[in-house]
Amino acid sequence: MVRPPTARSAVPGVGRLGLLEPTAADSLHQLGWDNVDGVPVLWALSRSPDADLALATLLRLRESLGDGWAELDSVIRSDTTLRGRLFGLLGSSTAFGDHLVATPEAWKILRRKHLPEREEVIADLLDAVGAKPETGPNAGPMLFRAEIAGPEAIALLRGRYRDQLMLLAATDLAATVENEPVPPYQVVGRQLSDLADAALTAALSVAIARVCKNGPVPVRLAVLAMGKCGARELNYVSDVDVVFVAEPADATATRLAAEMMSVGSSAFFDVDAALRPEGKAGALVRTLDSHLAYYKRWARTWEFQALLKNRPMTGDLELGQQYRDALMPMVWTASERPDFVADVQAMRRRVEDLVPADLRERELKLGAGSLRDVEFAVQLLQLVHGRVDDALHVTNTVEALTALAAGGYVGREDAANLTASYEFLRLLEHRLQLQRLKRTHTLPAGDDEEGMRWLARAAHIRPDGRQDAVGVLETEIRRNSMRVRRLHAKLFYRPLLDSVARLDSDALRLSPDAAVRQLAALGYGAPENALGHLKALTGGVSRKGRIQALLLPTLLEWLGDTPNPDAGLLAYRRISEGLDDQIWFLRELRDEGAIAQRLMIVLGSSEYLPDLLINAPETIRMYADGPGGPQLLGPQPVDVARGIQTAAARYDDPARAVAAARSLRRHELARVASADLLGMLDVPQVCAALSSVWVAVLDAALSAVIRATEAERGGPAPADMAVIGMGRLGGMELGYGSDADVLFVCDPRPGEDETTAVKWANGVAEKVQRLLGAPSTDPPLQVDAGLRPEGRNGALVRTLAAYQAYYGQWAQPWEVQALLRAHQVAGDQDLGVRFLHVIDPIRYPAGGVSAEAVREIRRIKARVDSERLPRGANPATHTKLGRGGLADIEWTVQLLQLRHAHEVPALHNTSTLQTLDVIEAEGILEPEDVALLRESWLAATAARNALVLVKGKPTDQLPGPGKLLSAVAKVAGWPNDDGSEFLDNYMRITRRAKAVVERVFGGV
């Protein structure tokens, strides 16, 4: 017998409804819904954002209502609007569920057909405390006196406010359950702001009853809403920012304001007056004249930005309007302030720094691609263009975006997309806050699948056939965040490019004046020139011009974050024009985001690099990331040096050989400087790389000149020849601005006349100096032999025997000290090593340096400190000769070498840093003292290198506070571009190191 198929029950089970709690079936039975008549209710319940939570709360509500449940049950079955509101609310908010259970009859509020108008909301909140219009000379339409002003007033106001908030939330959420209209974002924001106005009007009525018991209010007090409330775009849970104006601003006015804040904060939400002049340190209440005086003299840019959203909300509305009328003209001229750009950039960085790194991807309000990005950009554009366009004088973010698009200040499509993303992020923010009525802007953690599922359903996000609701939500969050990030750049720069490149024939265009204003606000000091560069880059109808116009919005934003965007844009134009026939350049910028961003950072930060990159453009390709990391870090100094020597060896003509070496040096300098500026290399790595390339070029030049002389002579050279590195070259610790200090030594070959050999060697040395020192667009190659015996009056080249005789008989203490850094760097290696063996007994004397020599060194050091510092230099911030600078550290290390190298062979080292390691390991100085010397040497070298990178020429003096110092700070690796902080840190480090220097020199 074949059994007939079992008919599927018409009543869905708990599994089909998505109910997970073990008690769900019993709960449905208790409510009487587990039957055919209850099917529509069951399916509606299943659509609730959290059906289990909604069901559990309904059971509690049934118990709380008692006999009243039958009425609610009947309405749930028959009224889909009520059902959608109730189930949407209970599945989204534990806080409102608790409120309904505590005041069960409040469910009837949800039957209201439409949201109340502003006047009705105000009347309802005032009715809670029996408030009546205030009388007397200062009476006004928003001034009332409560009849109930005791402690019970707080509970009455809280309950009435929560009822109104519940109605709005339920109306907002109903569409998640039933086919109900979705209130637009702006309607929700306005309703919340109207409710806040009503709440503080009621709070002020209680304050009046408490403070002014014996007569009418004796003062005029205006309350102005600021921030989101002022813009009528308030959140469900938010501080409400206010400012008070009073006439007179006496003790009574202050007590009224304080009492209003206390009542409001206890009954509704935090009332915050921190946006008042001087913040929390300033007077709570001021007169209008006092406000004006402050804003005229003391206010910062961010305070004018905050005033964009001021709105009279309650109290004396006439006085509030006088405040607004008096202050708004100052707001619209704030962009003309000299510190406007710097302040705006600092504000943006400060906001970004407030977000912990582990929350940045989950932060809706302050992270990258967040609500604040939209609001900040819109407010900046309003400040820039609102001076000449009254249509931008609006407070609401969405309305401001619409006005900006209508005026051509942003693209219409961009404004629409940005508005959509902004409203989506605000929707998520609202849903998160409704859950527990807590102020939050943080998405659930990535592993909180249950939290993300709830949020998706509360935001009315459903599966799309390819992904479940959580997958769709995560995709939408990423898409909208990325869209905000992308449009943040386009918002500022696309209209500029539309104005000069005609990308969109239908787009409104900024006028030349508006374009100049916008560029000035974005940090360009010469906006007219910048506009000219943009026109040149995007000019004509060529494909390259169109690509430039598409690239430039993002490139310009990156440039805007650099210390010198004007110079960066000019350099970018020069490079683009120089590579006009190179198809790879724009393709790499378009396809490799890392290349484009790093290039903009480099061009906007350094005057040293642009010329190098123009002459060595292939380096730009190395800004990309490879499988093993940044390609800039790929080449190793030893391989680069070998390449330089090999390339130069291909040419018989010394000039061509040196040109080949220079070319490869140019590429290497560009690579090292780029990696350094981008924070990829530390100070020792930079010094080693620069020294290695210098040595390679010097060796290649010497070899080329010797080969040429041998060709001219028709036979081998009459002498071996070596170059001894001195100073920082000998220590392999060169900086960008260092010359090459050297000694030239020769040794006649057997059978050769010494006079002839020395003459030949002098000719070779002179030609090497001349070829390397020839004028060039590259950084100079100065070979300095000034440390030779008898200085510049002595012979340029000496034989090994002559050096031995001189140092053995005539060497002065300073010459002995200089020899501590002598090291073979180029030419005949065997001769170089023999030279070092000759000088070792001189620089590392048996028994250590004599007391007389130490006294002489101390005398010379004192003379250097007092006489060699350039006129006008600041001894506290001169990186070479200043307090705790390079000379101080190096002299200290060398003195310790002279005293201890005879007994500590490891001190036979030409590197300052390596020698400091030995001094610490051998216990010659305390580890703390060595650490101070090392830190100071590194800080001074980093600062000196940064000075060259920023200014494009050698200099040792740190500038005073200003844009240049901030640029140096950033390039030197300071975590922010606060030049004053960097300078304070530098002076603290060098001051502590100087104390060690003085102890060492004073203790010998």
Side-chain angles (χ1 to χ4, degrees):
M1 176 179 174
V2 178
R3 294 178 179 272
T6 303
R8 190 173 188 180
S9 172
V11 180
V14 292
R16 289 175 66 195
L17 295 172
L19 293 165
L20 304 177
E21 290 296 327
T23 59
D26 183 57
S27 298
L28 292 175
H29 182 71
Q30 291 182 52
L31 294 172
W33 294 346
D34 57 343
N35 49 56
V36 173
D37 291 339
V39 168
V41 176
L42 294 178
W43 284 121
L45 179 65
S46 75
R47 294 190 291 270
S48 175
D50 187 337
D52 284 297
L53 173 63
L55 180 57
T57 308
L58 283 163
L59 278 177
R60 294 168 59 209
L61 182 57
R62 173 176 175 269
E63 181 179 348
S64 184
L65 278 167
D67 293 341
W69 170 253
E71 181 185 4
L72 175 57
D73 182 52
S74 173
V75 176
I76 288 174
R77 292 171 186 270
S78 61
D79 186 342
T80 57
T81 297
L82 180 282
R83 188 163 69 213
R85 290 178 176 181
L86 183 64
F87 287 5
L89 185 75
L90 298 184
S92 298
S93 176
T94 57
F96 279 123
D98 292 343
H99 176 66
L100 272 176
V101 170
T103 55
E105 292 300 321
W107 71 266
K108 296 176 182 178
I109 298 170
L110 303 184
R111 301 196 69 179
R112 183 187 175 102
K113 293 297 182 185
H114 304 289
L115 291 172
E117 298 294 329
R118 172 184 170 86
E119 292 73 17
E120 191 177 346
V121 175
I122 294 173
D124 187 49
L125 267 291
L126 289 170
D127 177 68
V129 288
K132 301 291 189 260
E134 174 66 350
T135 59
N138 295 317
M142 289 290 280
L143 210 62
F144 300 85
R145 179 183 292 268
E147 290 183 351
I148 303 171
E152 69 276 17
I154 301 297
L156 292 169
L157 288 172
R158 183 185 298 119
R160 197 68 63 91
Y161 175 80
R162 190 63 61 93
D163 286 347
Q164 289 284 355
L165 195 64
M166 179 180 70
L167 173 60
L168 175 60
T171 305
D172 194 9
L173 290 159
T176 64
V177 175
E178 298 288 0
N179 187 22
E180 290 292 310
V182 178
Y185 155 75
Q186 286 186 275
V187 168
V188 175
R190 282 198 297 269
Q191 197 74 16
L192 287 166
S193 302
D194 289 345
L195 182 52
D197 289 1
L200 291 189
T201 301
L204 181 58
S205 76
V206 174
I208 288 171
R210 290 179 177 180
V211 175
C212 305
K213 299 177 181 178
N214 302 320
V217 176
V219 298
R220 299 176 69 192
L221 179 67
V223 184
L224 290 109
M226 307 286 283
K228 283 186 166 58
C229 187
R232 300 191 74 199
E233 54 190 13
L234 197 60
N235 290 329
Y236 276 100
V237 185
S238 176
D239 291 352
V240 171
D241 296 305
V242 297
V243 167
F244 297 101
V245 189
E247 299 291 347
D250 58 11
T252 300
T254 301
R255 286 179 59 203
L256 280 172
E259 193 66 35
M260 188 207 85
M261 289 178 65
S262 175
V263 173
S265 296
S266 300
F268 314 121
F269 37 69
D270 287 336
V271 183
D272 191 346
L275 291 177
R276 65 187 184 268
E278 300 179 71
K280 293 182 179 179
L284 180 62
V285 176
R286 288 175 182 253
T287 64
L288 178 55
D289 285 344
S290 176
H291 276 284
L292 285 171
Y294 174 82
Y295 282 102
K296 285 178 180 176
R297 185 169 183 184
W298 302 110
R300 301 289 301 275
T301 299
W302 71 265
E303 293 177 281
F304 289 108
Q305 187 173 352
L307 283 174
L308 272 173
K309 296 182 179 294
N310 83 83
R311 173 179 63 84
M313 70 183 304
T314 193
D316 192 318
L317 295 183
E318 183 181 354
L319 179 59
Q321 189 60 44
Q322 290 172 4
Y323 170 93
R324 180 173 172 79
D325 292 344
L327 287 177
M328 290 312 290
M330 285 190 261
V331 171
W332 300 121
T333 57
S335 62
E336 298 175 350
R337 294 160 58 93
D339 57 353
F340 176 76
V341 173
D343 280 356
V344 166
Q345 292 173 336
M347 278 188 289
R348 182 176 167 191
R349 283 189 294 271
R350 198 156 47 238
V351 167
E352 292 170 351
D353 292 342
L354 291 174
V355 185
D358 58 333
L359 292 181
R360 282 178 187 161
E361 295 304 314
R362 294 169 51 201
E363 175 63 49
L364 291 171
K365 182 177 180 181
L366 302 177
S370 67
L371 295 166
R372 185 55 56 88
D373 271 350
V374 180
E375 293 163 354
F376 186 91
V378 169
Q379 291 164 24
L380 179 57
L381 289 173
Q382 282 183 275
L383 288 171
V384 170
H385 299 297
R387 178 171 60 86
V388 295
D389 190 345
D390 291 351
L392 302 181
H393 295 187
V394 296
T395 57
N396 182 277
T397 300
V398 172
E399 291 173 5
L401 261 173
T402 302
L404 286 164
Y409 304 107
V410 303
R412 287 189 294 268
E413 184 181 352
D414 292 344
N417 285 329
L418 203 59
T419 298
S421 291
Y422 181 71
E423 292 185 352
F424 172 75
L425 295 175
R426 288 299 300 273
L427 172 67
L428 297 185
E429 181 183 40
H430 283 179
R431 296 298 179 263
L432 290 166
Q433 292 177 344
L434 281 174
Q435 193 172 26
R436 295 180 179 83
L437 283 187
K438 298 291 185 184
R439 184 184 179 197
T440 181
H441 320 282
T442 307
L443 292 165
D447 57 356
D448 184 3
E449 189 172 344
E450 184 178 340
M452 289 296 286
R453 185 180 298 110
W454 165 82
L455 179 59
R457 292 169 66 88
H460 204 192
I461 290 174
R462 298 292 184 257
D464 63 359
R466 298 186 305 276
Q467 300 180 97
D468 62 9
V470 172
V472 174
L473 173 62
E474 290 174 339
T475 298
E476 283 298 296
I477 290 171
R478 285 194 299 271
R479 185 176 71 85
N480 282 279
S481 179
M482 287 300 297
R483 186 159 70 174
V484 170
R485 293 184 204 188
R486 187 181 71 252
L487 291 177
H488 192 257
K490 289 183 67 179
L491 202 66
F492 294 126
Y493 297 107
R494 177 62 182 269
L496 290 167
L497 273 300
D498 280 341
S499 297
V500 298
R502 297 191 174 274
L503 290 176
D504 181 354
S505 58
D506 296 328
L508 294 169
R509 286 180 171 77
L510 294 178
S511 68
D513 287 345
V516 166
R517 282 199 307 274
Q518 192 146 315
L519 281 165
L522 294 168
Y524 290 84
E528 295 88 353
N529 294 344
L531 196 60
H533 299 323
L534 297 183
K535 289 178 180 177
L537 285 164
T538 59
V541 294
S542 69
R543 181 171 179 270
K544 289 180 180 177
R546 293 195 300 272
I547 295 174
Q548 287 280 21
L550 294 172
L551 287 173
L552 277 165
T554 303
L555 301 185
L556 289 170
E557 184 182 36
W558 287 329
L559 270 180
D561 286 333
T562 64
N564 194 344
D566 292 88
L569 182 56
L570 172 59
Y572 178 66
R573 176 183 174 181
R574 291 173 59 210
I575 289 175
S576 296
E577 291 173 348
L579 297 178
D580 187 60
D581 60 344
Q582 301 290 316
I583 61 173
W584 64 266
F585 176 61
L586 291 180
R587 185 181 65 238
E588 294 280 12
L589 295 188
R590 182 192 64 200
D591 299 339
E592 292 282 351
I595 291 180
Q597 185 171 17
R598 287 166 179 166
L599 180 61
M600 294 306 106
I601 292 171
V602 164
L603 297 182
S605 303
S606 172
E607 292 188 26
Y608 179 84
L609 269 162
D611 284 336
L612 285 174
L613 292 176
I614 288 169
N615 293 315
E618 288 294 322
T619 308
I620 296 171
R621 289 180 185 265
M622 301 176 73
Y623 285 16
D625 288 321
Q631 292 184 23
L632 286 169
L633 301 182
Q636 298 302 305
V638 63
D639 297 325
V640 172
R642 189 181 303 115
I644 289 173
Q645 291 161 336
T646 301
R650 296 192 184 105
Y651 299 97
D652 294 328
D653 179 2
R656 296 185 66 188
V658 168
R662 274 183 176 276
S663 175
L664 292 178
R665 172 184 181 259
R666 184 185 310 129
H667 283 82
E668 180 65 357
L669 285 181
R671 180 191 74 84
V672 173
S674 297
D676 182 11
L677 193 145
L678 293 167
M680 299 175 184
L681 295 174
D682 60 24
V683 169
Q685 289 172 317
V686 171
C687 293
L690 294 175
S691 302
S692 175
V693 72
W694 231 123
V695 166
V697 172
L698 187 56
D699 195 47
L702 180 64
S703 298
V705 173
I706 290 175
R707 285 199 310 275
T709 63
E710 288 180 327
E712 289 176 8
R713 288 168 56 88
D720 296 320
M721 192 167 178
V723 181
I724 307 300
M726 302 290 284
R728 303 197 86 189
L729 176 62
M732 296 297 281
E733 293 171 338
L734 287 178
Y736 295 107
S738 302
D739 292 340
D741 290 311
V742 300
L743 299 178
F744 290 103
V745 57
C746 70
D747 190 31
R749 290 175 176 172
E752 295 288 350
D753 177 68
E754 181 174 319
T755 302
T756 301
V758 170
K759 183 179 179 181
W760 169 84
N762 271 285
V764 169
E766 288 171 358
K767 190 162 187 177
V768 167
Q769 285 184 307
R770 187 169 61 255
L771 286 171
L772 293 179
S776 167
T777 57
D778 294 341
L781 281 160
Q782 295 299 326
V783 179
D784 189 345
L787 292 176
R788 63 186 184 266
E790 302 177 62
R792 302 194 186 281
N793 295 322
L796 179 60
V797 184
R798 290 181 181 238
T799 64
L800 181 62
Y803 274 111
Q804 184 171 18
Y806 176 85
Y807 287 128
Q809 187 172 3
W810 304 108
Q812 299 296 308
W814 71 267
E815 291 178 300
V816 174
Q817 183 181 349
L819 288 174
L820 289 170
R821 307 201 74 181
H823 194 73
Q824 161 64 10
V825 294
D828 188 279
Q829 290 294 316
D830 178 66
L831 175 58
V833 171
R834 284 190 287 136
F835 175 86
L836 299 182
H837 288 159
V838 163
I839 64 169
D840 277 351
I842 309 298
R843 57 181 176 173
Y844 310 129
V849 70
S850 68
E852 181 181 351
V854 169
R855 285 194 297 273
E856 178 64 11
I857 289 171
R858 291 175 63 183
R859 186 188 67 78
I860 297 173
K861 177 72 168 63
R863 184 176 174 186
V864 167
D865 289 346
S866 63
E867 296 180 8
R868 285 191 57 193
L869 198 68
R871 183 183 299 274
N874 183 347
T877 55
H878 195 277
T879 58
K880 182 177 181 181
L881 300 173
R883 180 187 65 200
L886 294 173
D888 266 350
I889 310 305
E890 290 167 357
W891 277 66
T892 302
V893 167
Q894 290 158 21
L895 179 59
L896 294 172
Q897 284 180 289
L898 289 170
R899 296 184 64 218
H900 299 283
H902 67 287
E903 54 190 6
V904 181
L907 288 176
H908 297 189
N909 196 316
T910 59
S911 163
T912 300
L913 284 181
Q914 292 174 16
T915 304
L916 278 170
D917 292 340
V918 176
I919 289 170
E920 181 177 5
E922 294 294 330
I924 296 171
L925 287 181
E926 294 296 325
E928 297 81 6
D929 289 344
V930 174
L932 291 173
L933 295 176
R934 184 185 294 112
E935 185 181 16
S936 191
W937 190 92
L938 289 170
T941 302
R944 196 176 186 221
N945 282 345
L947 280 165
V948 178
L949 288 177
V950 170
K951 298 184 70 174
K953 57 185 178 182
T955 183
D956 299 312
Q957 178 66 63
L958 284 171
K963 289 183 65 175
L964 180 58
L965 178 63
S966 295
V968 171
K970 199 166 187 177
V971 172
W974 192 245
N976 57 56
D977 61 357
D978 188 329
S980 296
E981 283 185 15
F982 167 77
L983 197 62
D984 288 345
N985 181 69
Y986 177 86
M987 289 193 293
R988 181 170 59 253
I989 290 170
T990 53
R991 183 174 62 249
R992 294 166 67 193
K994 182 66 172 180
V996 178
V997 172
E998 290 175 342
R999 282 202 303 276
V1000 171
F1001 270 85
V1004 295

